[in-house]
């Protein structure tokens, strides 16, 4: 961030800073931004790319810590400044589509609002399409969204199948953190179904994989 600031690359710096803040929060340091300049404040209110990144990172970390109200607030703010669809595949957009899909299906289950289900389905279809181009990168993400959608539809047996497929695909394609995420979300699924033993097994496996990843 200092490198970018010194070269007056403020938009790139701010996008990098919000990502850095998310990392700090996830590893437990939760460092707060300091010395925000008037120019940075202005950019945060006027630049679509920066606003999108800020709200995406806030929605993502809120979802990670299962903060429903914050997740909903920042997801709404994010969607207010996103184009109608992810028409062009940019890797950043793919990850945002993935995480916003997970957030949307979670919000749909909690709120029973159809708009969140529809947003999750759009993300799922985008990841399915991209998985056709790159199975290695996107297959596990698509499967996990399929699992979450099936969970929303109370199609529990299909959900179980797709959670397992997401876990196996992430493992096969070396996405350790996404293998951990699939275990974690499957654990919440089993917990809400009342299968505490299976939920604990998967929470422990998620913890193991997150630790292996370095979290």
């Amino acid at each position: 961030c200092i490198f970018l600031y010194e070269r007056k690359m403020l938009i790139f710096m701010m996008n990098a800073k919000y990502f850095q803040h998310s990392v700090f929060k996830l590893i437990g340091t939760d460092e707060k931004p300091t010395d925000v300049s008037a120019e940075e404040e202005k950019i945060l209110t006027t630049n679509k790319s920066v606003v999108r990144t800020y709200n995406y990172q806030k929605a993502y970390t809120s979802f990670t810590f299962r903060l429903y109200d914050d997740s909903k607030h920042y997801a709404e703010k994010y969607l207010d400044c996103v184009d109608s669809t992810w028409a062009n595949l940019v890797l950043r957009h793919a990850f945002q589509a993935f995480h916003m899909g997970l957030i949307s299906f979670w919000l749909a289950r909690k709120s029973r609002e159809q708009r969140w289900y529809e947003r999750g389905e759009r993300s799922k279809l985008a990841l399915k399409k991209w998985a056709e181009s790159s199975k290695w990168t996107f297959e596990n993400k698509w499967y996990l969204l399929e699992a979450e959608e099936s969970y929303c539809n109370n199609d529990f047996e299909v959900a179980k199948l797709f959670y397992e497929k997401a876990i196996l695909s992430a493992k096969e394609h070396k996405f350790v953190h996404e293998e951990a995420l699939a275990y974690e979300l499957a654990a919440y699924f089993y917990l809400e179904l009342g299968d505490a033993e299976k939920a604990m097994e998967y929470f422990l496996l998620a913890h193991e994989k997150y630790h292996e990843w370095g979290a």
Side-chain angles (χ1 to χ4, degrees):
C1 289
I2 294 174
F3 174 87
L4 295 173
Y5 180 79
E6 288 175 346
R7 286 154 182 79
K8 305 301 181 183
M9 301 171 68
L10 282 178
I11 291 175
F12 290 104
M13 182 204 74
M14 291 178 71
N15 281 325
K17 182 186 289 187
Y18 297 137
F19 175 76
Q20 184 183 54
H21 292 161
S22 294
V23 172
F24 285 152
K25 192 171 186 68
L26 292 172
I27 65 176
T29 61
D30 198 15
E31 294 187 15
K32 299 290 191 298
T34 57
D35 301 324
V36 178
S37 69
E39 188 174 5
E40 288 178 52
E41 289 282 4
K42 181 180 179 180
I43 289 172
L44 181 55
T45 60
T46 60
N47 185 278
K48 188 174 181 179
S49 173
V50 172
V51 173
R52 181 173 58 223
T53 298
Y54 174 82
N55 287 301
Y56 162 71
Q57 292 294 343
K58 286 289 189 177
Y60 171 66
T61 54
S62 298
F63 170 72
T64 299
F65 291 104
R66 311 302 277 185
L67 303 174
Y68 172 81
D69 290 336
D70 287 349
S71 295
K72 185 176 182 180
H73 172 75
Y74 289 113
E76 288 172 338
K77 293 290 188 182
Y78 171 84
L79 294 174
D80 283 343
C81 61
V82 168
D83 295 332
S84 59
T85 186
W86 292 277
N88 299 313
L89 178 54
V90 176
L91 192 58
R92 178 186 59 177
H93 295 168
F95 281 106
Q96 290 181 5
F98 173 50
H99 291 129
M100 289 307 299
L102 295 177
I103 292 169
S104 295
F105 282 132
W106 182 52
L107 295 177
R109 289 198 302 275
K110 296 293 185 182
S111 69
R112 296 301 176 187
E113 293 181 32
Q114 183 66 17
R115 63 184 177 125
W116 292 115
Y117 180 87
E118 291 171 356
R119 170 55 63 174
E121 186 176 31
R122 286 176 60 188
S123 291
K124 184 205 72 173
L125 292 175
L127 268 296
K128 180 179 180 180
K129 179 179 179 180
W130 295 336
E132 293 171 359
S133 299
S134 178
K135 177 179 176 181
W136 185 281
T137 305
F138 299 114
E139 181 186 69
N140 69 295
K141 300 170 182 64
W142 164 41
Y143 285 159
L144 191 53
L145 288 171
E146 289 280 7
E148 290 287 290
E149 181 181 41
S150 297
Y151 183 8
C152 278
N153 291 332
N154 294 326
D155 197 344
F156 301 139
E157 292 307 314
V158 173
K160 290 176 185 179
L161 173 65
F162 275 111
Y163 281 123
E164 294 305 317
K165 292 178 74 168
I167 290 166
L168 291 173
S169 179
K171 182 180 183 65
E172 179 183 354
H173 300 138
K174 315 302 182 185
F175 293 111
V176 177
H177 62 302
E178 290 177 357
E179 183 183 354
L181 177 61
Y183 273 125
E184 181 183 4
L185 294 184
Y188 282 118
F189 165 74
Y190 283 111
L191 185 63
E192 292 189 27
L193 288 186
D195 191 342
E197 183 176 350
K198 189 73 170 180
M200 179 58 69
E201 176 190 351
Y202 275 34
F203 276 130
L204 290 173
L205 286 167
H207 180 272
E208 178 185 317
K209 289 299 175 179
Y210 279 128
H211 182 72
E212 181 182 334
W213 181 49

